[in-house]
Amino acid sequence: HSDLHCLNGDWAIGKYPIAPGHEIAGVVRAVGDKAAGSFKVGAKVAVGCMVLSCMECDLCKQGLEQHCLKWCQTYSSMFPKDCDHDDCADTWTNGGYSTDITVH
């Protein structure tokens, strides 16, 4: 129901146009150099409600990326610069109902 809250404007986080959808299931279509040992093209994967965190703060180092102050949601978040995906920088993230998604 949280996707509906976003679409209805209940949480004031909707950036339109928007493709909602969190807790995504999909298939890997491409793998960056830093993830080459962890993921393979064609593998089935799942993504929670976030697509990235800083991976450098104490929370991230403790495995608590979901509490990172610099995290980026699967949708309605501005994708940051200098994060290995500069082609996505300064665009709004779109969720699981989109055709493609970049995950860090």
Side-chain angles (χ1 to χ4, degrees), residues 20-97:
H22 64 290
E23 299 169 358
I24 304 163
V27 178
V28 175
R29 290 184 15 176
V31 179
D33 293 338
K34 293 182 180 179
S38 302
F39 298 95
K40 294 184 182 350
V41 172
K44 295 178 182 175
V45 292
V47 178
C49 64
M50 56 189 271
V51 292
L52 69 83
S53 62
C54 77
M55 300 305 290
E56 296 175 356
C57 69
D58 289 338
L59 290 167
C60 285
K61 289 179 181 177
Q62 293 174 44
L64 300 170
E65 300 97 306
Q66 70 274 19
H67 297 293
C68 178
L69 298 177
K70 296 181 181 177
W71 77 310
C72 186
Q73 299 178 86
T74 53
Y75 63 87
S76 229
S77 285
M78 181 65 72
F79 206 92
K81 292 181 182 176
D82 301 321
C83 185
D84 296 331
H85 301 289
D86 282 342
D87 55 328
C88 299
D90 295 328
T91 63
W92 295 107
T93 56
N94 282 298
Y97 294 113

